[in-house]
Amino acid sequence: MLQIKNLHARIGDREILKGLDLTVNAGEIHAIMGPNGAGKSTLSYILAGKDDYEVTEGEVLLNGVNILEMEPNERATAGLFLAFQYPIEIPGVASMTFLRAALNAHRKARGEGEISTPDFMRVIKETSAKLNISTEMLKRPVNVGFSGGEKKRNEVMQMALLQPSIAILDETDSGLDIDALKVVSDGVNALRSPERSFVVITHYQRLLNYIVPDFVHVLSDGRIVASGGKELALELEKNGYAGFVQDAA
Amino acid sequence: METSDPMGTTTVLRTPAEETLLKRYPAEKASLPGAPAVASLRDGAFAAFEKVGLPHRRVEAWKYTDLRANLRTIAAPAGAPDHGRVQALPPAVPGDGARRIVVANGRVLADLSDLAGLEPGVSVRSLADALTHADAAVLAALEPIAEAADNVALAVNTAFMSDGVVVTIADGVRLERPIEIAHVTDGETAAATAVRNLVMVGAGATATVIETVESTSAAAHQSNIVTMMVVGDGAAVDHIRLQLEPFEAVSLTTLTVSIGANARFETFNAALGAGLARAQVFARFTGAAATGAFRGATLLSGRRHADTTLVVTHDAEGCESRELYKAVVDDEAKSVFQGRINVPAHAQKTDARMMTASLLLSDGAEAYAKPELEIFADDVQCGHGATCGALDDDLLFYMLARGISKTEAEKLLIIAYLGEAIDEVHNEAVREMLIHRIEAWLGKRVG
Ligand SMILES: Nc1ncnc2c1ncn2[C@@H]1O[C@H](COP(=O)(O)OP(=O)(O)OP(=O)(O)O)[C@@H](O)[C@H]1O
Ligand SMILES: [Mg+2]
């Protein structure tokens, strides 16, 4: 599904990713943990195609195709989804207009026609209900006036609408209250399938009780420095990153 | 052409365009409508033009829009329009339900105008008729407000005005149906027109006036349209002007308005057409506690140039004004905004906020903004702001990350950007038409 090989990336003259390797197979859930500033969000942005970063070495294959040459929207319609750590507000662009444009872009890439209004309304109603997103919220411009937790739920709702083959969730659990964490996790679990993979970036082992990962990785200083099963997360929770990070005491 | 003499004073020679105007006026004045009183008004205005010539960049109010340099020739006066071709123009604002009055090639065309069943208290006349009959009220209404008094475009219009629409709405009349003044220039060869409209809205009356400016062909027409409005005490008036001409055209439009006590006045200018366009607004609050909103949207591509120049004087206490002008500038186009709010010492409790923003879509695009406040009263709330920038990369990336193409994402963001101004237009048909035109414009953008 997703293969990241020896990925090096920089912003300006600062190297942030320093030879990162990661393979995610179909149907798997991988958790990435790691200290602040390790490069987790950078990795997610590079996968999604943000052009602030310069990839100096390595490749990223999605279903065998190098996606680093593709535009962000092409990556999205090829099945890659990023739930942003900090979802942005888009004043003046109605949520419904935005969601419909996103859905239609995916349909177009599949060679399908535009979604009809009744179909669109139905799919929005179903998906938003599952994620406790009120129709009142969807009447606002994208993310405008949403609370932190509402923005995160909105990300998961978009994921559920777009049905990606690989989803990267960047700290989707941060800022969620206990009930919302459950709602979001249920939303993710409902999408689990043998064809769909997830990369879940988090600081908290608690999330992994709800979304149970197949693998846990430690990302530190631009590299994966340790990998293991879900028990690795418990160990990190207990002992911190000290054993994995050279310069942390 | 200019030459400097050794003493350091500048001798300005006449440009070919100025020469043409200087020859045209004496040749045409006898055939221009109006009683002797009108002729002397024209003479005075023309003398004022003759003294200063076409405005150029060293005249502060025309700093960014140098007519002397940009107006190479003056087109011949427009001949009679072809009624069939004018009639065949599709309605500029479909579904606005307006009472449409057509002014083509500087003449009110009664046969194409909807003058049947005028609402009680409403009168619509031709300016040429009123001038010929030396209608005292009309002659008085031709006198410009102080803000516009020394404006050259207005002076030239006064000298050459051939016709226009005189609308009078009596006190208390609530006009449901908008009045649309459709300015059309017809003909395959470049033609010049000078049109003057007068709109007088009585106390407590309500009305919507839409002006459209169009051509039937892509000839290099030159139109100079002046609309003078008087908004009575407690009246509520919406004014919308849509510049929709092909990019070959040169367009000067001027709105002057005096706003009575407790009135509400709103104007919106859509600068979507003409290659060289200047839209001027001169407004004066003459009575206390009125509100005014002055807004506009400009869309520019190619090498077009659009100038919005606004002067608002709060000549009374406790009035509120809002100014919001937004421009989207592509290719090598140039957008200009000059806004000035005057608050004399007696205009206490004035609340005025002026904002202008330009979105530059290409490296060659230019935007100039000159917002000014001149405040002599001490108990006021006034502010202004100007921004200029490109589309936000983070917003674009978020949309792209959802699969939306760059073109579509830009379109949504640009419509959202202009939406801030357009959403305030009360007339729904106009709003829809504007969005439609913007989408079409965006569809034609390359890259
Ligand atoms: N635009 C930028 N300019 C300069 N440095 C940047 C930029 N973006 C990220 N960085 C730096 O790159 C490093 C990695 O940042 P990143 O956001 O990927 O960390 P992270 O692992 O997601 O951290 P957190 O757990 O706090 O979210 C940080 O030191 C950050 O300051
Ligand atoms: Mg991060």
Side-chain angles (χ1 to χ4, degrees), chain B residues 169-174 200-206 230-237 258-265 284-291 316 319:
Chain B
I169 299 169
D171 292 355
V173 172
R174 307 182 77 83
M200 283 149 308
V201 183
T206 59
V230 177
V231 176
D233 292 351
V237 176
S258 64
I259 306 165
N262 299 301
R264 175 183 70 78
F265 174 74
R284 167 170 284 258
F285 288 98
T286 56
T291 62
C319 294

Side-chain angles (χ1 to χ4, degrees), chain B residues 27 31 39 46 176 276 281 302 348 443:
Chain B
S31 60
F46 193 77
E176 296 295 330
L276 173 61
V281 179
Q348 298 294 5

Side-chain angles (χ1 to χ4, degrees), chain A residues 11 14 16 35-42 53 85 171 203:
Chain A
I11 186 155
R14 170 141 184 236
I16 298 171
N36 293 132
K40 303 180 298 295
S41 292
T42 301
Y53 306 92
Q85 181 174 358
E171 294 197 29
H203 285 298

